[in-house]
Amino acid sequence: ARAADREQRDHIEATMAEARPEILRRDGYQCQINGPTCTGHADQVDKIVPPGKGGDPFDPANLRAACSNCNLHKARTIDRLTR
């Protein structure tokens, strides 16, 4: 089971590595989490609806550019809410 989980994780990471530059360009390297109020340079891709909540990690409509600060804050907030 662990090998299968690792394979799936590797596949997702490889696919995201391919999608990342496209999503960042599409969104103009502007963080989309907090919109115009964010002054950070987007260098990450955020999954709007996490895969664990039914989101498709490969659907461009479920992906958006994010700066590291906003993405980290979102992850911490979601983690706190799901405890």
Side-chain angles (χ1 to χ4, degrees), residues 2-83:
R2 288 185 195 209
D5 289 345
R6 193 174 316 116
E7 269 185 46
Q8 183 180 13
R9 195 170 41 249
D10 289 348
H11 173 69
I12 290 171
E13 287 177 16
T15 303
M16 285 302 297
E18 290 177 22
R20 184 174 292 114
E22 292 176 31
I23 300 300
L24 292 173
R25 270 193 301 275
R26 179 196 71 194
D27 292 344
Y29 293 88
Q30 192 72 34
C31 180
Q32 302 297 305
I33 292 177
N34 289 320
T37 62
C38 177
T39 58
H41 176 75
D43 58 358
Q44 299 179 2
V45 172
D46 172 53
K47 296 169 197 77
I48 299 167
V49 179
K53 299 277 186 190
D56 183 346
F58 305 114
D59 181 0
N62 189 43
L63 302 173
R64 63 183 170 184
C67 73
S68 57
N69 286 337
C70 289
N71 208 13
L72 180 61
H73 177 73
K74 177 188 170 196
R76 286 180 176 163
T77 301
I78 288 172
D79 184 49
R80 219 178 13 251
L81 295 173
T82 57
R83 284 188 201 164

